[in-house]
Amino acid sequence: MIVEGTHVFAGRPEAVWDLLLDPTVIAKAMPGTRELVREGPDRYRGRMQISIGPITAAEFALQITLADLEPPRRFVMHVDGTGRFGFTRGAAEVTLAPEGEGTAMGYRADLQVGGKIAGVGQRLLDMVSRAMLRSGLDALGAELSARLAEDR
């Protein structure tokens, strides 16, 4: 499943970059995340719980690895989640570019889902992934606004 798009944040690329690498913020941006801990400069470990159709409260062990970092312009995020209802894995390329007073973030993710959770159907998975993405972008925008207000 491919998920791609752009989103404009009201902050400079350096501020958005810092936000995107903060485990507390990443957890807020990934709905259902119960825990996310930085294990190294480019690695995170955590747990998340999601519900998709008839599968409720599916818990996943989560591993996130960052690669190809070019601060504050781009990085690739590799995500690997496993649980008793299946797995999800994928990679997302994230790019940041100045746009007026803000930052345009481009993203393109290629995600794979397997196991029982994949049995709920592609259309439902697409709907849930897009809703989670919208929620995550809203959370990132709110966190950035709060941080920029604190800096004033």
Side-chain angles (χ1 to χ4, degrees), residues 25-48:
V25 176
I26 296 170
K28 289 179 184 178
M30 295 177 69
T33 300
R34 301 288 183 240
E35 171 191 35
L36 193 64
V37 177
R38 180 178 253 152
E39 291 189 316
D42 60 353
R43 287 193 342 240
Y44 306 84
R45 172 190 48 80
R47 293 179 305 112
M48 75 183 308

Side-chain angles (χ1 to χ4, degrees), residues 11-150:
R12 304 302 308 151
E14 296 79 11
V16 175
W17 178 269
D18 292 343
L19 191 75
L20 293 174
L21 300 185
D22 182 330
T24 304
V25 176
I26 296 170
K28 289 179 184 178
M30 295 177 69
T33 300
R34 301 288 183 240
E35 171 191 35
L36 193 64
V37 177
R38 180 178 253 152
E39 291 189 316
D42 60 353
R43 287 193 342 240
Y44 306 84
R45 172 190 48 80
R47 293 179 305 112
M48 75 183 308
Q49 188 174 4
I50 60 170
S51 296
I52 300 177
I55 299 175
T56 58
E59 188 165 307
F60 292 87
L62 193 60
Q63 294 286 329
I64 299 173
T65 306
L66 303 179
D68 303 330
L69 284 86
E70 296 176 23
R73 292 187 37 236
R74 71 176 291 278
F75 64 88
V76 175
M77 177 183 283
H78 297 275
V79 177
D80 189 5
T82 56
R84 77 172 222 219
F85 289 104
F87 69 88
T88 182
R89 69 177 61 102
E93 180 176 2
V94 178
T95 58
L96 301 175
E99 183 168 300
E101 295 293 314
T103 299
M105 179 183 79
Y107 56 89
R108 185 176 194 284
D110 185 359
L111 307 170
Q112 300 167 353
V113 178
K116 290 181 185 177
I117 204 158
V120 300
Q122 190 62 42
R123 192 175 313 158
L124 184 55
L125 287 172
D126 285 344
M127 285 178 19
V128 170
S129 67
R130 292 186 198 298
M132 289 176 73
L133 178 62
R134 270 192 309 278
S135 177
L137 290 171
D138 289 346
L140 285 172
E143 185 68 23
L144 180 61
S145 295
R147 287 184 181 198
L148 291 175
E150 287 176 7

